[in-house]
Amino acid sequence: MCKTTALPVNQNGGELKGVRGQMLTYTADPFIATDESKCYQYLDDGLIVIQDGIMIDVGDYKDIAPKYPQLKNVDQYQDAVILPGFIDCHVHYVQSPMIGSFGDTLLSWLNQYTFPTESKFKDKAFADNVAKVFFRQLLEQGTTTANVFATTFAESVDAFFEESERYNTRMISGKVLQDRNLPDSLKDESAEESITLTEQLLKKWHHRGRQLYAIVPRFAPTSTDKQLALAGELYQRYIDQGVYMHTHLDEAYGELAWVNQLFPDAKNYTDVYKKYGLVDNHSIMAHCCLVREDEWQTLHDCDCGVAHCPSSNLFLGDGEFKYWEAKNPRRPVRTGMGTDVGGGTNFSIPRQLNEAYKVAMLQMKNLDALKSFYLATRGGAEALHLEKTIGSLAPGYEADIAVLDLKPSEFVEWRMQFATSIFDKLFILQTLALDTMNKATYVAGNKVFDRVRDKKFMYAADFTSPEKA
Ligand code: GUN
Ligand code: ZN
């Protein structure tokens, strides 16, 4: 397994912590490997040793445990699968209050539900409250990193990162840039002002603890050429520091027609962003349902990441993502999963895998659990260019962990007796898709969510002063 440089992400005085049980992690991309059985490591009885928020050793319990006689604090899981924490590559926390709004196609859904809801985030107290609820949903579902849209207002960004800091989660977010074709209550005052504010927020939050900043033009139709140009300039100035660019691309037919009308000179939708310097190696494109071959080639050449958001695509009746095109071995594109809440209908990455399988089946392909759980973990980390930091259970990685319950209900427990391999079991979990399937979530080594603990959610500070717990 690959090693990375281990910087403490959680100072706990060097005390060791262990997590023991059946575990699965990926080491390579099974979509492009010649032998997919070499892409993962499965341990029947594994042990992860954690120090200062970093995994310092991972392997068979019988080999690892004797090396750490001082290790006393071990959480042991039976009838569960320990995985890297899930990664949500595209989600709008500000849409949590309108998830499940009765449907329409993308553009009228934005006008009818999304924009009025997002307009409320100028109010910091409102934003704080939504951020709190959102983090609980993510952590309950075993998601430990997400690439998250805030909205126009600085308040929405601060509320998000402040809550992330409380859990010490590794999160990516940023102010949304949008200066045309939306209500005044949500519109940026001017392109210049929006970029100045973005740079202030970037300086405040990027690399503060585990937080990372993204420059976020909502999508081409809601930014003027001037705003896109300034956003591209800013991105190019900060890309070497690991700042992201996050936007929507080729999601729905109505959107594509609008983009063609607004940008008649562009070769294609990707080219609209490319012209402004927005397509580069930290660019994350959500949806990509209607991407054409020349665009896939550009996304590959520029080393972009894409987020597959099937529950949203089904809910909004968009196009269908084609993973076999994204993962064409001649020019593979970094791909992870996204919930796209509130277009998506739940916060669970395994439940997105259920929908991804069905989206593939509708196109006469399929998607097995070996590949789908890769997308949920290491694939997501690759899409975010964080594959040396998160998304794997291996020495040197940040200790972000999900623990899936193989007995989340009486029926699933009964059904599991007929399953043999780990991938059969995971496929059953993703297909029967209960919101209660995640038992526990670790962030930087702290068990911030535990389904059966009295206090289900705990902030990082609760672990340094346990009397507060
Ligand atoms: N395109 C532009 N904005 C949005 C949004 O909020 N959700 C989705 N699904 N697509 C978008
Ligand atoms: Zn979205």
Side-chain angles (χ1 to χ4, degrees):
M1 280 197 195
C2 42
K3 276 214 166 206
T4 62
T5 320
L7 288 174
V9 290
N10 173 20
Q11 301 286 356
N12 64 349
E15 195 190 315
L16 297 185
K17 158 120 203 113
V19 181
R20 177 182 178 184
Q22 176 175 211
M23 55 185 71
L24 175 73
T25 189
Y26 291 86
T27 51
D29 183 345
F31 288 92
I32 55 174
T34 44
D35 180 355
E36 61 180 31
S37 70
K38 297 213 163 73
C39 294
Y40 65 90
Q41 184 179 34
Y42 167 72
L43 299 173
D44 199 30
D45 181 14
L47 178 65
I48 303 169
V49 183
I50 302 166
Q51 188 174 42
D52 292 330
I54 302 289
M55 303 185 214
I56 60 163
D57 216 342
V58 182
D60 276 316
Y61 179 82
K62 64 174 176 12
D63 301 330
I64 304 291
K67 289 162 59 180
Y68 301 92
Q70 74 278 38
L71 173 63
K72 303 280 179 260
N73 180 6
V74 179
D75 294 343
Q76 187 169 350
Y77 292 98
Q78 253 142 21
D79 301 312
V81 187
I82 299 163
L83 292 154
F86 299 120
I87 297 176
D88 187 340
C89 294
H90 176 68
V91 56
H92 302 247
Y93 98 87
V94 291
Q95 294 177 12
S96 306
M98 43 75 66
I99 184 173
S101 295
F102 177 68
D104 210 334
T105 52
L106 173 65
L107 301 179
S108 59
W109 174 86
L110 287 173
N111 282 314
Q112 205 178 337
Y113 304 111
T114 311
F115 295 153
T117 302
E118 292 192 19
S119 298
K120 298 181 188 166
F121 283 78
K122 178 105 192 80
D123 176 350
K124 178 69 169 27
F126 183 81
D128 285 340
N129 183 258
V130 177
K132 191 174 165 68
V133 171
F134 175 80
F135 271 89
R136 286 178 168 235
Q137 290 304 313
L138 248 52
L139 294 169
E140 177 162 3
Q141 298 307 324
T143 298
T144 48
T145 288
N147 183 30
V148 183
F149 264 57
T151 189
T152 314
F153 317 108
E155 289 80 355
S156 70
V157 177
D158 287 338
F160 177 82
F161 279 132
E162 283 163 16
E163 188 66 0
S164 182
E165 277 198 330
R166 288 184 197 107
Y167 286 109
N168 195 20
T169 34
R170 186 168 281 293
M171 290 283 161
I172 306 169
S173 190
K175 173 201 146 32
V176 175
L177 296 164
Q178 35 195 1
D179 67 346
R180 68 163 168 173
N181 291 325
L182 75 170
D184 286 348
S185 55
L186 198 58
K187 210 184 275 174
D188 285 312
E189 277 168 34
S190 68
E192 290 85 353
E193 178 272 344
S194 70
I195 298 299
T196 304
L197 184 53
T198 297
E199 190 167 9
Q200 281 166 6
L201 288 163
L202 183 162
K203 286 182 174 160
K204 178 171 179 184
W205 288 110
H206 190 56
H207 288 311
R208 178 161 141 179
R210 301 184 77 197
Q211 313 313 315
L212 298 168
Y213 200 84
I215 296 164
V216 189
R218 178 175 214 112
F219 68 158
T222 45
S223 285
T224 55
D225 289 69
K226 187 171 191 184
Q227 191 176 50
L228 291 172
L230 292 174
E233 265 174 47
L234 187 68
Y235 178 42
Q236 291 303 326
R237 267 200 285 130
Y238 283 98
I239 191 167
D240 289 346
Q241 294 176 36
V243 165
Y244 293 90
M245 197 291 299
H246 182 194
T247 192
H248 296 89
L249 174 69
D250 282 311
E251 177 179 1
Y253 289 98
E255 171 202 19
L256 199 51
W258 198 16
V259 170
N260 287 336
Q261 195 190 322
L262 292 170
F263 302 91
D265 298 332
K267 268 195 310 203
N268 51 50
Y269 194 167
T270 303
D271 190 46
V272 173
Y273 295 131
K274 180 115 182 30
K275 185 173 141 200
Y276 293 112
L278 292 163
V279 180
D280 211 327
N281 67 28
H282 270 60
S283 304
I284 317 297
M285 308 297 196
H287 301 290
C288 296
C289 301
L290 307 173
V291 166
R292 298 182 332 205
E293 179 53 33
D294 53 343
E295 297 179 271
W296 282 125
Q297 187 67 51
T298 303
L299 296 173
H300 166 81
D301 292 344
C302 297
D303 212 10
C304 300
V306 305
H308 176 19
C309 308
S311 89
S312 172
N313 298 153
L314 292 169
F315 187 71
L316 294 172
D318 299 332
E320 291 149 347
F321 184 81
K322 294 160 186 61
Y323 75 77
W324 50 96
E325 291 187 0
K327 287 298 187 182
N328 182 335
R330 277 189 299 104
R331 43 129 199 81
V333 174
R334 295 167 178 264
T335 304
M337 299 304 301
T339 60
D340 192 35
V341 163
T345 49
N346 62 76
F347 294 85
S348 157
I349 290 294
R351 288 183 66 185
Q352 305 309 308
L353 303 180
N354 179 24
E355 307 295 3
Y357 170 80
K358 294 173 191 165
V359 166
M361 288 297 276
L362 282 171
Q363 300 173 89
M364 303 211 280
K365 303 273 181 187
N366 62 32
L367 184 59
D368 60 30
L370 189 156
K371 291 197 179 73
S372 67
F373 276 84
Y374 161 79
L375 291 176
T377 56
R378 190 181 169 92
E382 286 180 353
L384 303 178
H385 286 261
L386 289 173
E387 72 274 15
K388 295 193 172 126
T389 309
I390 56 166
S392 297
L393 306 177
Y397 279 76
E398 295 176 354
D400 295 343
I401 298 166
V403 184
L404 292 190
D405 189 353
L406 292 169
K407 297 179 168 177
S409 72
E410 198 178 293
F411 176 72
V412 174
E413 178 177 354
W414 179 83
R415 171 65 181 88
M416 283 296 172
Q417 66 182 307
F418 305 108
T420 46
S421 81
I422 182 67
F423 293 113
D424 288 345
K425 291 176 187 169
L426 288 173
F427 191 73
I428 291 167
L429 280 188
Q430 80 171 53
T431 304
L432 301 185
L434 301 173
D435 255 355
T436 52
M437 76 174 101
N438 184 57
K439 247 173 150 51
T441 306
Y442 294 79
V443 166
N446 291 328
K447 201 198 303 185
V448 296
F449 170 75
D450 183 334
R451 190 167 294 286
V452 295
R453 188 171 59 198
D454 282 349
K455 189 170 175 180
K456 278 191 183 175
F457 296 93
M458 284 170 62
Y459 286 136
D462 296 333
F463 294 88
T464 45
S465 45
E467 70 281 0
K468 283 201 232 152

